[in-house]
Amino acid sequence: MPYSNNSSSRFSNRSNSSSRYNNNSSSRDSFGGRPRYGGGGGRRYGKKSGPKQLDHSLFVKVAEPLPEAETKITHTFKDFGFASWIDAALTEKGMINPTPIQDQAIKPVMEGNDVIGLAGTGTGKTLAFLLPLLHNMTLDPKKSAVILAPTRELALQIEQELHKITNRSQGIYSTVCIGGTPIRKQMFRLSRHNHFIIATPGRFKDLINRKAIHMDSFSTIVLDEVDRMLDMGFIDEIRYILELLPKNTQKLFFSATTEGKTRQLMETFLVNPVNVLLSSNVSSNNVHQDIVPVTRNDNKMDLLMDILNKDEVKKVLIFCETKMAVENLYRDLQQHGFDVESIHGDKTQMHRQIALKKFKSNEAWIMIGTDVASRGIDVGDITHVINYELPRTEEDYIHRIGRTGRGNKIGWALTFVKKY
Ligand code: AMP
């Protein structure tokens, strides 16, 4: 739960933490009075969603990671009885112990159940479904799975996870079907047997319509980040795809929330699902959240650079609202000598991938992006998310800050808020 009115201990912490991120004492003073952020509880943004309607109390919260006891692991990977090549691959990668979502989801997936996995980014959920599916495909090579992901970047990252475990010698084939890349090539690759088709919903539907996909061939469908797919407006595509699948197809839905439309979708399509609901996977619980007040006398860019120059700020994702704002800030930071990259919808797929690669490898330690383009970013060591411009909705905010505080790490989310 974000910062609320009746949380005095958090509030005192808030004042301290805000001062860390603002060198300007007058700004700090303006941040002092708690009632300004109280907002009377209840809804945090009005009907017309937009930056002005978001209550700023949403942006302030002290991280509350779950106590270790609540994320106790009860298996090692060896306990699952995976095919020996999977065990060997895990050992080679130094992966001995499953993460909490893997600990609880692997068995029910292996046994063929429908599963709801409530898991945020960075919790190891990709291997939670890939490992048992790979095991089942080893037993029955005719099995195949379609994995739908909300963004091209996430689809590519899922394939990378797959390639961490498999290599050519296992004869496991996969094809990634995403927009922004030639569809003919994908159609060609789809003409042979694929164990995994990893796709974004729009491109996948397009391929169904071109008769390049045979829906009755899938034994499993995985919807990764269901809530984001719905946020991004893919509800019709997802319903269309689910309705074309044979009734007995195993369905695995992973999502950071099970609210609203996500729940409706689950109730319509899942049969007696096994729920793996790990509250530790509310990724924002691992994130210290605070605002950076911007007064009339402040230069926003200077405030940003003050933050970026702090030692603890090691890897940063900065959000702007528009593509143009992203580009402007990118240019400004570059001119000031920062190693920065940018990502937004006007960039070609190739440019986005290059930018992400540089960010991942620390060639650039700052990435600036828009909401949509940044949703698929899976970089485990982001220390700070900075909302240089306000998110439009609470959902956008939650998605933004979920890019930090991954796994068991504690992250920071700082939101620039105009105070005049
Ligand atoms: P994901 O949440 O699936 O995006 O995974 C986040 C990162 O954790 C990826 O780089 C995975 O390769 C890594 N990972 C997943 N499971 C484990 C594990 N059991 N032990 C160590 N690393 C893992």
Side-chain angles (χ1 to χ4, degrees), residues 336-353:
H336 281 90
F338 289 95
D339 297 325
V340 59
E341 276 298 328
S342 69
I343 189 162
H344 56 69
D346 279 355
K347 297 215 158 195
T348 62
Q349 184 61 21
M350 199 179 74
H351 278 107
R352 290 206 232 179
Q353 274 168 250

Side-chain angles (χ1 to χ4, degrees), residues 13-179:
N13 220 324
R14 183 181 79 162
S15 314
N16 295 338
S17 56
S18 72
S19 59
R20 294 182 59 194
Y21 286 101
N22 199 325
N23 294 334
N24 177 332
S25 60
S26 67
S27 307
R28 211 149 58 225
D29 292 344
S30 72
F31 179 53
R34 174 182 167 191
R36 298 178 62 169
Y37 306 100
R43 60 195 294 163
R44 295 192 194 84
Y45 54 93
K47 261 189 187 140
K48 282 185 224 150
S49 67
K52 294 223 169 62
Q53 277 78 33
L54 280 177
D55 184 329
H56 297 166
S57 67
L58 175 66
F59 308 136
V60 183
K61 181 179 175 281
V62 175
E64 293 171 44
L66 265 201
E68 250 171 51
E70 290 184 42
T71 54
K72 211 164 163 226
I73 308 289
T74 55
H75 302 94
T76 67
F77 278 130
K78 289 264 185 266
D79 297 334
F80 294 115
F82 286 135
S84 55
W85 70 267
I86 298 177
D87 276 338
L90 288 168
T91 307
E92 197 202 312
K93 295 287 169 200
M95 295 187 193
I96 313 290
N97 294 312
T99 64
I101 182 81
Q102 292 164 358
D103 191 45
Q104 294 185 37
I106 285 175
K107 216 156 174 259
V109 175
M110 222 162 158
E111 288 168 353
N113 297 289
D114 283 0
V115 171
I116 294 173
L118 183 68
T121 43
T123 56
K125 72 176 152 50
T126 317
L127 289 185
F129 59 80
L130 284 182
L131 293 174
L133 292 179
L134 281 166
H135 173 80
N136 289 350
M137 286 167 187
T138 309
L139 299 181
D140 178 358
K142 287 199 293 299
K143 282 190 185 293
S144 68
V146 51
I147 302 169
L148 295 182
T151 62
R152 299 164 186 184
E153 284 78 15
L154 187 60
L156 291 169
Q157 278 160 16
I158 293 170
E159 193 189 43
Q160 275 172 22
E161 274 308 275
L162 181 63
H163 289 166
K164 274 189 193 168
I165 302 298
T166 61
N167 57 40
R168 278 172 201 279
S169 66
Q170 285 103 30
I172 295 286
Y173 297 101
S174 62
T175 293
V176 172
C177 299
I178 52 180

Side-chain angles (χ1 to χ4, degrees), residues 259-272:
E259 297 303 310
K261 282 189 214 155
T262 308
R263 172 142 303 280
Q264 281 170 19
L265 201 72
M266 288 171 173
E267 281 168 2
T268 314
F269 289 101
L270 298 181
V271 183
N272 297 327

Side-chain angles (χ1 to χ4, degrees), residues 196-306:
F196 291 96
I197 296 176
I198 307 166
T200 44
R203 175 56 64 100
F204 192 69
K205 187 178 171 203
D206 197 355
L207 286 161
I208 294 173
N209 292 337
R210 289 170 188 245
K211 309 232 178 315
I213 305 251
H214 303 290
M215 293 301 283
D216 48 7
S217 65
F218 296 113
S219 42
T220 303
I221 182 164
V222 181
L223 299 189
D224 199 5
E225 308 208 350
V226 182
D227 49 339
R228 285 191 205 185
M229 285 198 262
L230 300 183
D231 278 355
M232 290 167 77
F234 285 129
I235 181 77
D236 293 339
E237 284 84 351
I238 289 169
R239 283 188 169 277
Y240 178 83
I241 292 163
L242 288 171
E243 272 159 13
L244 287 178
L245 285 167
K247 284 275 168 289
N248 59 354
T249 308
Q250 180 187 30
K251 300 183 187 73
L252 311 176
F253 285 16
F254 289 84
S255 181
T257 72
T258 55
E259 297 303 310
K261 282 189 214 155
T262 308
R263 172 142 303 280
Q264 281 170 19
L265 201 72
M266 288 171 173
E267 281 168 2
T268 314
F269 289 101
L270 298 181
V271 183
N272 297 327
V274 174
N275 286 276
V276 182
L277 309 178
L278 293 166
S279 51
S280 61
N281 291 317
V282 177
S283 51
S284 61
N285 278 355
N286 284 348
V287 183
H288 284 300
Q289 302 163 50
D290 211 340
I291 64 167
V292 179
V294 184
T295 67
R296 196 181 294 281
N297 299 326
D298 287 322
N299 177 320
K300 210 172 158 187
M301 183 69 188
D302 287 345
L303 289 178
L304 177 65
M305 289 196 293
D306 282 347

